[in-house]
PDB file of all heavy atoms in Angstrom:
ATOM      1  N   SER A 100     -57.113  30.489 218.279  1.00 91.00           N
ATOM      2  CA  SER A 100     -56.775  31.013 219.518  1.00 91.00           C
ATOM      3  C   SER A 100     -56.698  32.575 219.404  1.00 91.00           C
ATOM      4  O   SER A 100     -56.297  33.120 218.308  1.00 91.00           O
ATOM      5  CB  SER A 100     -55.405  30.507 220.093  1.00 91.00           C
ATOM      6  OG  SER A 100     -55.596  29.128 220.147  1.00 91.00           O
ATOM      7  N   TYR A 101     -57.015  33.228 220.379  1.00 91.00           N
ATOM      8  CA  TYR A 101     -56.775  34.664 220.473  1.00 91.00           C
ATOM      9  C   TYR A 101     -56.013  35.095 221.562  1.00 91.00           C
ATOM     10  O   TYR A 101     -56.194  34.621 222.733  1.00 91.00           O
ATOM     11  CB  TYR A 101     -58.198  35.421 220.505  1.00 91.00           C
ATOM     12  CG  TYR A 101     -59.141  35.111 219.396  1.00 91.00           C
ATOM     13  CD1 TYR A 101     -59.995  34.079 219.391  1.00 91.00           C
ATOM     14  CD2 TYR A 101     -58.999  35.905 218.192  1.00 91.00           C
ATOM     15  CE1 TYR A 101     -60.800  33.786 218.275  1.00 91.00           C
ATOM     16  CE2 TYR A 101     -59.917  35.657 217.089  1.00 91.00           C
ATOM     17  CZ  TYR A 101     -60.841  34.634 217.199  1.00 91.00           C
ATOM     18  OH  TYR A 101     -61.520  34.370 216.062  1.00 91.00           O
ATOM     19  N   ASN A 102     -55.178  36.108 221.399  1.00 89.00           N
ATOM     20  CA  ASN A 102     -54.377  36.652 222.565  1.00 89.00           C
ATOM     21  C   ASN A 102     -55.178  37.820 223.250  1.00 89.00           C
ATOM     22  O   ASN A 102     -56.202  38.113 222.765  1.00 89.00           O
ATOM     23  CB  ASN A 102     -52.930  37.064 222.130  1.00 89.00           C
ATOM     24  CG  ASN A 102     -52.992  38.148 221.022  1.00 89.00           C
ATOM     25  OD1 ASN A 102     -54.058  38.865 220.972  1.00 89.00           O
ATOM     26  ND2 ASN A 102     -51.803  38.380 220.371  1.00 89.00           N
ATOM     27  N   ASP A 103     -54.416  38.467 224.150  1.00 91.00           N
ATOM     28  CA  ASP A 103     -55.183  39.491 224.789  1.00 91.00           C
ATOM     29  C   ASP A 103     -55.574  40.746 223.942  1.00 91.00           C
ATOM     30  O   ASP A 103     -56.351  41.562 224.288  1.00 91.00           O
ATOM     31  CB  ASP A 103     -54.368  39.998 226.073  1.00 91.00           C
ATOM     32  CG  ASP A 103     -54.290  38.929 227.163  1.00 91.00           C
ATOM     33  OD1 ASP A 103     -55.195  37.967 227.126  1.00 91.00           O
ATOM     34  OD2 ASP A 103     -53.322  38.898 228.097  1.00 91.00           O
ATOM     35  N   TYR A 104     -54.792  40.828 222.917  1.00 91.00           N
ATOM     36  CA  TYR A 104     -55.092  41.993 221.834  1.00 91.00           C
ATOM     37  C   TYR A 104     -56.160  41.603 220.875  1.00 91.00           C
ATOM     38  O   TYR A 104     -56.328  42.475 219.990  1.00 91.00           O
ATOM     39  CB  TYR A 104     -53.757  42.417 221.338  1.00 91.00           C
ATOM     40  CG  TYR A 104     -52.635  42.769 222.427  1.00 91.00           C
ATOM     41  CD1 TYR A 104     -51.743  41.817 222.825  1.00 91.00           C
ATOM     42  CD2 TYR A 104     -52.723  44.008 222.952  1.00 91.00           C
ATOM     43  CE1 TYR A 104     -50.790  42.239 223.742  1.00 91.00           C
ATOM     44  CE2 TYR A 104     -51.813  44.447 223.865  1.00 91.00           C
ATOM     45  CZ  TYR A 104     -50.850  43.480 224.292  1.00 91.00           C
ATOM     46  OH  TYR A 104     -49.929  43.734 225.349  1.00 91.00           O
ATOM     47  N   GLY A 105     -56.535  40.470 220.877  1.00 90.00           N
ATOM     48  CA  GLY A 105     -57.513  39.950 219.841  1.00 90.00           C
ATOM     49  C   GLY A 105     -56.857  39.360 218.681  1.00 90.00           C
ATOM     50  O   GLY A 105     -57.526  39.176 217.640  1.00 90.00           O
ATOM     51  N   ASP A 106     -55.552  39.144 218.609  1.00 92.00           N
ATOM     52  CA  ASP A 106     -54.863  38.697 217.435  1.00 92.00           C
ATOM     53  C   ASP A 106     -55.172  37.170 217.410  1.00 92.00           C
ATOM     54  O   ASP A 106     -55.177  36.400 218.354  1.00 92.00           O
ATOM     55  CB  ASP A 106     -53.366  38.894 217.599  1.00 92.00           C
ATOM     56  CG  ASP A 106     -52.943  40.243 217.658  1.00 92.00           C
ATOM     57  OD1 ASP A 106     -53.686  40.970 216.871  1.00 92.00           O
ATOM     58  OD2 ASP A 106     -52.095  40.585 218.390  1.00 92.00           O
ATOM     59  N   MET A 107     -55.634  36.703 216.117  1.00 90.00           N
ATOM     60  CA  MET A 107     -55.966  35.273 215.958  1.00 90.00           C
ATOM     61  C   MET A 107     -54.663  34.540 215.533  1.00 90.00           C
ATOM     62  O   MET A 107     -53.903  34.929 214.786  1.00 90.00           O
ATOM     63  CB  MET A 107     -57.013  35.237 214.893  1.00 90.00           C
ATOM     64  CG  MET A 107     -57.607  33.895 214.712  1.00 90.00           C
ATOM     65  SD  MET A 107     -58.889  33.867 213.593  1.00 90.00           S
ATOM     66  CE  MET A 107     -58.006  34.036 211.940  1.00 90.00           C
ATOM     67  N   THR A 108     -54.649  33.256 216.113  1.00 92.00           N
ATOM     68  CA  THR A 108     -53.617  32.287 215.771  1.00 92.00           C
ATOM     69  C   THR A 108     -54.350  30.974 215.266  1.00 92.00           C
ATOM     70  O   THR A 108     -55.106  30.519 216.074  1.00 92.00           O
ATOM     71  CB  THR A 108     -52.642  31.961 216.879  1.00 92.00           C
ATOM     72  OG1 THR A 108     -51.982  33.220 217.276  1.00 92.00           O
ATOM     73  CG2 THR A 108     -51.689  30.898 216.589  1.00 92.00           C
TER      74      THR A 108
END
Side-chain angles (χ1 to χ4, degrees):
S100 306
Y101 297 92
N102 63 17
D103 293 341
Y104 303 98
D106 300 322
M107 183 176 70
T108 299

